[in-house]
Amino acid sequence: MRKSFNRYYQALFIGVFLVPGFEMFLAPPVSAEPAVEWERAYGGRNVDEAHAIQQTRDGGYIVAGGSKSRNADASQNHGLIDFWVIKLKEDGTLEWEKSLGGSKDDVAESIGQMTDGGYIVAGYSESNDGDVSGNHGNRDFWVVKLSAEGNMEWQRSLGGEGQDHAYSVQQTTAGGYVVAGS
């Protein structure tokens, strides 16, 4: 019994612990402190938030969130908060950025690169104008397909008359999309 208990805690704890009545557990050695390769700040003079990031096939990064800015790195704003998607090169240099949305709040929560090199973005939208159409009332899941260059290929509003909020989107092996939220 004691042997299985020790194995359980060795997997659960990281570090050195002294538990009265038990022996000391030691986690595997950890390598040197990670080094910061680069850091950058993106946005404008208003509220700009990143909610999702993924490394892209070219070694860069795709980032999605929300932006209220319409200056500096955020070139446009359609109303309150927009979906804001930025594509970064491997060294953190801004490659392109897109603000998508309508006159109300539109916030991106998830992004992924697709097999065609483009991107799928999901979050929520309260708008029914600008880039957004088909809102069913209040807040809907909003799913947007972008080309590899960041141009909008299509968009869908999914939901009912209440509060619908997408938190995650993934491409399926069959080439479709699955969206999760509340």
Side-chain angles (χ1 to χ4, degrees):
M1 178 75 168
R2 185 178 176 117
K3 191 172 186 178
S4 64
F5 179 83
N6 287 345
R7 251 184 282 149
Y8 172 77
Y9 278 90
Q10 286 173 349
L12 182 63
F13 293 133
I14 298 174
V16 178
F17 297 89
L18 182 57
V19 180
F22 297 96
E23 53 197 45
M24 191 178 296
F25 305 108
L26 181 61
V30 179
S31 62
E33 290 290 316
V36 176
E37 292 184 27
W38 55 264
E39 64 180 31
R40 305 277 193 286
Y42 303 97
R45 291 191 190 111
N46 218 318
V47 176
D48 308 296
E49 298 178 341
H51 294 183
I53 185 169
Q54 185 182 69
Q55 190 162 28
T56 54
R57 286 189 212 110
D58 63 3
Y61 301 89
I62 192 77
V63 183
S67 175
K68 283 183 141 183
S69 297
R70 68 175 78 221
N71 53 20
D73 297 322
S75 63
Q76 185 178 8
N77 184 281
H78 297 88
L80 298 176
I81 303 171
D82 281 351
F83 267 36
W84 196 41
V85 178
I86 61 175
K87 171 65 174 81
L88 306 175
K89 295 180 182 177
E90 189 174 358
D91 66 357
T93 305
L94 183 64
E95 192 170 327
W96 54 259
E97 61 84 26
K98 297 291 177 175
S99 293
L100 307 162
S103 60
K104 296 184 179 178
D105 286 341
D106 315 295
V107 178
E109 299 284 2
S110 179
I111 191 162
Q113 190 168 29
M114 304 297 90
T115 55
D116 68 0
Y119 304 97
I120 192 76
V121 190
Y124 71 84
S125 176
E126 296 175 351
S127 301
N128 200 21
D129 57 5
D131 297 320
V132 186
S133 63
N135 185 286
H136 298 92
N138 209 330
R139 179 183 288 178
D140 279 354
F141 281 27
W142 194 39
V143 181
V144 177
K145 171 66 170 73
L146 301 175
S147 69
E149 298 77 32
N151 299 315
M152 190 164 68
E153 294 181 351
W154 54 260
Q155 63 86 41
R156 300 287 185 279
S157 292
L158 308 166
E161 60 187 33
Q163 299 278 347
D164 307 301
H165 192 134
Y167 291 103
S168 183
V169 63
Q170 297 287 319
Q171 187 173 31
T172 66
T173 55
Y177 304 97
V178 61
V179 184
S182 63

